[in-house]
């Protein structure tokens, strides 16, 4: 048997060559945040910020996952959730009232898809890095793919405030600095002066901190549960402040 050794130092690869870079890239994140604040619909900037700032948290999250027996099984199986969530026949199996049915209705009514998130995450970067057969890269894809499921579980809509609240929730869950930067940017904008916006975003953070650690959940099993049962088991509280602001001002007023 011939053993082939790669040349160079073990740490010679640059951030650019790694599926998950080692160091935060603050300048890139700040530029992307400015572009996102100018156009909140530019989802590509969200992934730019995530790639720039979240790598340390992604590594920590993967290590936390494999430190739990159930999480270690998920990491061993390494299911690509995007492929499951793009399987129309699989989605059609879920009974009304379940998490899976709520997800299906949400993405189909909003003309969304897991495939859309995949393509956005690949924009501006070599696809083979996003799709690398690397355990930490797989964990990063897992966080990407559950975003719309978290919309369903938390009750936050796709309006600008709902996204900001979910971003704050996501920061509490993952401790990724990219989520924090976006949440702070949304808080500074303040929903065009609509009262209660910042408190609603802070409520999203508090709910994320008090809920079960969602990256470790078996989503294929969770999708079969009644949605209220799932929320109760995961300790996800109703988004009261968010709903109050939307009821008072309307989603359109928060752009």
């Amino acid at each position: 048997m011939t053993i082939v050794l790669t040349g160079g130092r073990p740490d010679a690869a640059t951030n650019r060559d790694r599926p998950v870079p080692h160091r935060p890239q603050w300048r890139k994140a700040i530029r992307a945040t400015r572009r996102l604040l100018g156009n909140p619909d530019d989802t590509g900037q969200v992934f730019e910020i995530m790639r720039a700032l979240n790598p340390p948290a992604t590594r920590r999250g993967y290590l936390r996952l494999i430190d739990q027996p159930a999480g270690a099984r998920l990491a061993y199986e390494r299911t690509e959730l995007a492929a499951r969530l793009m399987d129309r026949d699989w989605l059609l199996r879920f009974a009304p009232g379940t998490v899976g049915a709520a997800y299906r209705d949400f993405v189909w009514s909003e003309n969304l898809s897991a495939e859309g998130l995949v393509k956005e995450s690949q924009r501006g970067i070599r696809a083979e890095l996003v799709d690398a057969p690397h355990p930490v890269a797989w964990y990063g894809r897992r966080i990407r793919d559950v975003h719309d499921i978290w919309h369903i579980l938390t009750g936050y809509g796709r309006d600008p405030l709902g996204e900001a609240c979910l971003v704050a929730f996501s920061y509490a869950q993952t401790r990724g600095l990219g989520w924090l930067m976006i949440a702070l940017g949304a808080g500074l904008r303040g929903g065009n002066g609509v009262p209660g916006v910042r408190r609603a975003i802070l409520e999203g953070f508090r709910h994320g901190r008090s809920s079960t650690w969602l990256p470790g959940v078996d989503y294929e099993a969770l999708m079969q549960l009644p949605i209220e049962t799932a929320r109760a088991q995961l300790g996800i509280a109703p988004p009261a402040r968010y709903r109050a602001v939307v009821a008072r001002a309307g989603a359109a007023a928060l752009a």
Side-chain angles (χ1 to χ4, degrees):
M1 180 178 67
T2 302
I3 299 175
V4 180
L5 301 178
T6 58
R9 303 189 317 276
D11 61 346
T14 65
N15 265 7
R16 200 174 182 177
D17 299 323
R18 294 187 169 110
V20 183
H22 282 180
R23 298 183 300 275
Q25 299 168 302
W26 287 101
R27 289 183 181 178
K28 181 182 289 188
I30 291 169
R31 288 195 299 268
T33 301
R34 287 172 177 163
R35 290 193 290 266
L36 181 63
L37 292 177
N39 178 14
D41 294 327
D42 189 355
T43 309
Q45 300 307 321
V46 173
F47 286 107
E48 187 79 0
I49 297 165
M50 297 300 108
R51 287 193 295 267
L53 297 184
N54 278 6
T58 303
R59 278 190 173 77
R60 291 193 301 270
Y62 178 75
L63 293 175
R64 180 176 177 179
L65 183 73
I66 63 174
D67 197 40
Q68 304 171 358
R73 176 182 60 78
L74 294 172
Y76 177 78
E77 294 172 351
R78 207 173 298 177
T79 299
E80 295 288 348
L81 286 175
R84 293 300 265 159
L85 296 174
M86 287 187 281
D87 185 340
R88 184 181 179 89
D89 291 337
W90 185 68
L91 292 178
L92 284 170
R93 295 176 191 171
F94 296 112
T98 60
V99 175
Y103 171 82
R104 178 186 67 219
D105 296 345
F106 177 74
V107 295
W108 290 359
S109 66
E110 296 281 348
N111 197 27
L112 301 172
S113 71
E115 182 180 17
L117 281 176
V118 171
K119 289 181 178 178
E120 286 291 347
S121 72
Q122 294 171 339
R123 183 148 59 103
I125 188 173
R126 300 200 308 272
E128 61 266 28
L129 291 181
V130 177
D131 298 331
H134 186 290
V136 179
W138 165 81
Y139 177 82
R141 293 191 294 273
R142 180 178 176 82
I143 299 300
R144 174 198 68 193
D145 296 338
V146 298
H147 177 77
D148 287 332
I149 302 177
W150 287 12
H151 266 295
I152 292 301
L153 293 172
T154 60
Y156 292 122
R158 292 188 64 239
D159 55 275
L161 179 58
E163 292 288 2
C165 292
L166 185 57
V167 161
F169 181 97
S170 300
Y171 169 65
Q173 284 278 315
T174 67
R175 296 296 168 165
L177 292 176
W179 297 117
L180 176 61
M181 177 165 274
I182 297 171
L184 291 174
L188 289 174
R189 286 188 60 174
N192 292 328
V194 175
V197 164
R198 292 187 179 93
R199 290 184 178 182
I201 295 173
L202 183 59
E203 180 186 62
F205 170 76
R206 289 200 306 269
H207 285 184
R209 189 172 55 182
S210 63
S211 300
T212 296
W213 190 59
L214 298 185
V217 169
D218 182 341
Y219 284 93
E220 291 181 274
L222 183 76
M223 298 283 269
Q224 302 175 47
L225 294 179
I227 190 164
E228 293 304 329
T229 300
R231 287 170 176 159
Q233 290 184 1
L234 297 172
I236 300 176
R241 290 188 182 275
Y242 162 72
R243 289 174 179 168
V245 173
V246 172
R248 185 167 58 245
L254 305 174

